[in-house]
Amino acid sequence: MKRSDVVRLLLYLVVLAAMAAYPVRKILQFEWPSEMTELFRFKVNLYDPYDPVRGRFVRLSFGRLEFKCDQPTSWDAKINRPGGSVVYAVLDRRKDGTAFVTKLTDTPVPGSAVLKVRCRWRGRDYNPKTKRCSGKWSYLYDYPFDRFYLNEKLAPEAEKLLRSAKRGTEAELLVRIYPDGSFCVDDLQIDKRSIRDVLRSRQEKSEKK
Amino acid sequence: MSEECKYWSWLERKLPKLVAEGLLPQDSAEQIKLRCEAEQSDGNNTLPGYFLPTLAAGGGTLIAGGLVLLVSYNWDMLPKITRIVLAALPLLLGACCGIYTLLRGRGQAWREGSAVLTAGGCATLIGLISQIYHTGGELSEFLFLVIALSIALLYIFDSGALALLLTLGLFPCFGGNYGADRSWMELVLYLAFLPFFLHHIRGRVAGTGYYRYLTMLYLAAGLFAFYAAGGGLISLSAGALVLLTGIRLGTQEQTEPRSPRHNPFPVAGFLLLTGLLAAASSSPQFFRVRIHENFTVSIVFWGLIVFDFLLVWLRGLRRGMAIWELDGLLFLLMTVNALVFFLDAEEMQFAANLYLAIAGAGLIFAAFRKKRMRFFNAGMILFFTLAACRFFDNKLPILPRALGFIVLGLGLIGGNILLYRRKHAGKEVAI
């Protein structure tokens, strides 16, 4: 074995260790979090696209995500550039347990659950009815989660289920929020039941018939 | 027909002339002819060098596509631990292949395969972990991570295939948040490719032509990524550097003449600069860069380009390479470019127009002095670029514009005729 190949082999082992380290760290972070995580429920709508590489998944839609405040902040000058800006959304719960954003900041707030979101527009809040700008400032942002993976039979069924569901049927995304602003999607629930269970029970019923 | 075959064919065609001129005896000519025929027959029977790798790459892609579909088919039904193990399999396979290649000292084909397989395995593992935990994320972030982790494989396996894939990956990696400020990390990632390409474009290793074209792609990715952050300052300097590198490489290889296609830098550099100068001449936005907002990254990147420029130039001088007229014009461009720190955008637009005119005139002057048609045409292209930009410039009155175009057109035709006559009057040196 040539001396240069020995050096290459050692370097290669270091690179392999680095390549494995990232996913291992992620798995450990998600399975055994070192700090307390909080579970939040987000109201969602879903539809079912198809991607040849990623397979089946349901696309999550949260409607127009807008945050309003009285004063523009000092950090938001970069928001209106192409690509927007990543900021921290401070989360809280409504009375019904669903999550909402109380504040947008450029740094994590200690003691509060924060989520990294991409803020893509900032401007004066415009009221189309009065055709005037209110005194407030409006920030448009996107949540970092926009899909939930399901198998190829369940994904189209999920969309059909919500379309044919009775009024008042609600889909909620359960997201585990980590102290550094990262997240992991736990489950997608329909009327507080996991979507997988709901769909499987529907499938079993239809097979029995 | 392979490159070598063409030479044998050329030699065979020249034989009758050499015999007729008495330079070669008839017997020797016949022996050489037999040899030429044999070599051409051998050459035509062999497959081109790229045939098998292309087939292998196509087959590998199809297999990978099939596996992706197979795995994504009801992937959700597998338990989480099985999915994680399956996600790690390609990387494990790549690792086994890589370790075997290095332990046994296998050839370049194995090295290319190991590099691509390991990088692909890394991308698969990270992508699937993100899917298993539904963590989402953006394509640009994913590619940034994969490229950052895989870039060392370029140097370990000296892989041209991986270099192509990673360079192509730079476009979506930087394009995800196009226009956003570039971070230090992105600059470092981009520059990490540089030693690899510099090593391969010098012509001392195999596949120089391939790497030179790949370097063009790499530079295009850099321009795409950093234009929004550094604007005209960085773009024009990079264009000047490409052109100077091309000239230096071309001069270095004059002793060993090769096809102009082997060195794409001069043409690419010239076209790039012309396009950029056209943009600079047309719109003040080109120089309205956010240097003050993004000062540190811009100035460091620009400083690196200037440093490289001087290094290439001084090294050329040390090797006794002639100073070309273009060297002076490129130095002028770097100086004009530096004015962006002192002038406003509109003044810089005027400077770009002035530079186009000076460079065009300088090249035409050089063409007449050295009787080189190529310089003349290059100078006229610059003049035409300037004229085309001004054609759509509604700040200038129509009549001077019209007269200017007519004079330029007559100048082009007259100059070409004059140069052609001088060239064919027996005074011309080969271009």
Side-chain angles (χ1 to χ4, degrees), chain A residues 19 40 58 77 95 101 112 115 121 140 170:
Chain A
M19 281 177 167
F40 281 87
V58 283
K95 282 179 184 171
V101 172
S112 304
L115 176 68
W121 187 81
L140 293 184
E170 278 184 350

Side-chain angles (χ1 to χ4, degrees), chain A residues 133-170:
Chain A
C133 289
S134 70
K136 291 192 169 185
W137 287 80
S138 169
Y139 293 78
L140 293 184
Y141 61 92
D142 294 318
Y143 285 136
F145 30 79
D146 62 352
R147 62 179 74 110
F148 186 83
Y149 294 98
L150 283 170
N151 78 31
E152 64 170 354
K153 284 179 187 164
L154 295 184
E157 286 297 318
E159 189 187 347
K160 275 185 213 164
L161 171 74
L162 270 189
R163 221 185 286 151
S164 62
K166 290 181 287 184
R167 255 180 111 83
T169 301
E170 278 184 350

Side-chain angles (χ1 to χ4, degrees), chain A residues 8 12 31 81 152 183, chain B residues 73 118 133 135 156 181 293:
Chain A
R8 281 167 199 257
Y12 184 58
E31 297 290 343
R81 282 189 196 163
E152 64 170 354
F183 69 93
Chain B
Y73 176 79
T118 310
Y133 288 96
T135 54
I156 292 170
D181 286 345
E293 293 171 28

Side-chain angles (χ1 to χ4, degrees), chain A residues 14-138:
Chain A
V14 173
V15 171
L16 282 177
M19 281 177 167
Y22 177 81
V24 167
R25 197 175 67 89
K26 279 281 169 197
I27 292 168
L28 291 176
Q29 186 190 347
F30 290 134
E31 297 290 343
W32 298 281
S34 56
E35 292 176 82
M36 282 294 285
T37 60
E38 282 192 70
L39 200 63
F40 281 87
R41 296 171 172 276
F42 292 84
K43 280 186 183 172
V44 285
N45 285 317
L46 21 139
Y47 58 98
D48 163 45
Y50 173 68
D51 184 307
V53 178
R54 297 189 188 102
R56 285 284 184 188
F57 59 90
V58 283
R59 180 74 74 181
L60 309 172
S61 162
F62 299 89
R64 183 183 163 92
L65 295 171
E66 190 179 18
F67 176 74
K68 288 180 186 176
C69 63
D70 295 329
Q71 290 283 326
T73 48
S74 57
W75 49 264
D76 60 5
K78 291 175 185 173
I79 287 174
N80 282 356
R81 282 189 196 163
S85 185
V86 174
V87 296
Y88 292 90
V90 181
L91 298 174
D92 204 349
R93 293 182 183 84
R94 294 189 187 93
K95 282 179 184 171
D96 61 357
T98 55
F100 74 102
V101 172
T102 59
K103 193 182 172 188
L104 293 178
T105 69
D106 58 338
T107 47
V109 180
S112 304
V114 288
L115 176 68
K116 273 184 198 166
V117 298
R118 188 169 285 278
C119 201
R120 55 189 162 80
W121 187 81
R122 179 208 70 169
R124 288 272 184 191
D125 182 37
Y126 178 74
N127 188 339
K129 285 180 184 169
T130 58
K131 294 186 179 172
R132 282 189 180 177
C133 289
S134 70
K136 291 192 169 185
W137 287 80
S138 169

